[in-house]
Amino acid sequence: MPQEFASGLVIQGFTPPLALANFRLIAFDMDSTLINIECVDEIADAAGRKAEVSAITEAAMRGEIADYKESLRQRVALLAGVPVAALEQVFSQRLQLNPGAEALVRACQAAGLKTLLVSGGFTFFTDRVRDRLGLDFTRSNVLEVADGQLTGRMVDQPWGDICDGDEKRRMLLATCADLGIEPSRAIAMGDGANDLPMMAVAGLSVAYHAKPRVREQAMVAINEGGLDRLLELLA
């Protein structure tokens, strides 16, 4: 049964502390986990369609939409005609790292962990977050652009079409294989239903201010405070 380790910090299935140095990889979701916004919703605001897109995002994150890929295609289609300059504004004016993000990343890096950002969002943002935090690996989706505007479509990549929950899981496992480690030595952090597949194969799964279904299945649920509260459980 889950138990509250400290205020707003719930654990199940293990007894803390764990040794951070026993892990070799930490994988993060981006939107509403490492950062404070859902980027697709904020881009939609520029098209006057934030409410419509946000409703789909919320349903997808709660796990109420079985086909995540189709839900993302629907949302991206509503972005057709948005200028790339609007993405720049979202990044510079609305996107912030969530509290404790940098402290947790730095602690993990200092302990020798590699860092992976896996997102159902877009490379426009993940590449910038990667560079800001010095992350090692990323996987996310590419928005198609023509004449300085979004077309409402995404671009297929060598690994596939859309980074959904299954792709997050595959990327975590592939990164573990490349590093020569077992998935049990990986930490996975997320907030939405599409994070559950990668959380299920990691040695430590962490829900951050997450949807109920994710909180219920994670080994750690951070319900109050910043991402760095994970360090309270890791010696």
Side-chain angles (χ1 to χ4, degrees), residues 70-125:
E70 184 56 32
S71 81
L72 186 59
R73 290 189 186 101
Q74 290 174 7
R75 285 174 282 166
V76 170
L78 294 171
L79 306 181
V82 171
V84 173
L87 278 67
E88 293 282 1
Q89 289 181 338
V90 169
F91 178 76
S92 63
Q93 299 176 15
R94 303 190 185 190
L95 186 153
Q96 298 176 10
L97 295 176
N98 268 329
E102 189 158 13
L104 176 58
V105 169
R106 298 294 173 245
C108 290
Q109 291 170 332
L113 280 72
K114 295 295 186 181
T115 49
L116 167 65
L117 178 56
V118 277
S119 175
F122 312 114
T123 54
F124 184 94
F125 301 101

Side-chain angles (χ1 to χ4, degrees), residues 86-214:
L87 278 67
E88 293 282 1
Q89 289 181 338
V90 169
F91 178 76
S92 63
Q93 299 176 15
R94 303 190 185 190
L95 186 153
Q96 298 176 10
L97 295 176
N98 268 329
E102 189 158 13
L104 176 58
V105 169
R106 298 294 173 245
C108 290
Q109 291 170 332
L113 280 72
K114 295 295 186 181
T115 49
L116 167 65
L117 178 56
V118 277
S119 175
F122 312 114
T123 54
F124 184 94
F125 301 101
T126 57
D127 287 356
R128 288 162 171 77
V129 172
R130 174 199 64 200
D131 294 346
R132 179 171 175 179
L133 290 172
L135 305 178
D136 295 297
F137 314 106
T138 61
R139 176 143 296 177
S140 58
N141 304 303
V142 178
L143 290 168
E144 185 179 69
V145 176
D147 299 321
Q149 296 182 336
L150 301 184
T151 66
R153 296 183 295 272
M154 288 169 285
V155 179
D156 288 355
Q157 299 180 72
W159 48 263
D161 54 355
I162 290 175
C163 185
D164 61 352
D166 288 340
E167 183 58 34
K168 289 187 178 194
R169 175 183 178 275
R170 282 192 292 269
M171 184 60 180
L172 184 145
L173 293 174
T175 304
C176 288
D178 289 344
L179 295 173
I181 63 170
E182 293 298 320
S184 60
R185 302 189 73 187
I187 301 169
M189 299 189 72
D191 73 296
N194 63 327
D195 298 312
L196 288 171
M198 73 168 178
M199 292 169 69
V201 297
L204 181 63
S205 56
V206 184
Y208 179 72
H209 293 245
K211 300 297 182 286
R213 180 178 166 192
V214 182

Side-chain angles (χ1 to χ4, degrees), residues 38-55 57 75-76 78-80 82 86-87 90 94 122 125 150:
E38 293 285 337
C39 291
V40 67
D41 296 355
E42 300 307 317
I43 299 168
D45 199 18
R49 287 178 157 171
K50 184 174 181 178
E52 187 176 356
V53 170
S54 294
T57 300
R75 285 174 282 166
V76 170
L78 294 171
L79 306 181
V82 171
L87 278 67
V90 169
R94 303 190 185 190
F122 312 114
F125 301 101
L150 301 184

Side-chain angles (χ1 to χ4, degrees), residues 7-28:
S7 179
L9 191 62
V10 178
I11 63 172
Q12 60 181 337
F14 73 100
T15 301
L18 299 174
L20 182 58
N22 286 343
F23 295 96
R24 306 310 300 160
L25 174 70
I26 184 164
F28 297 98

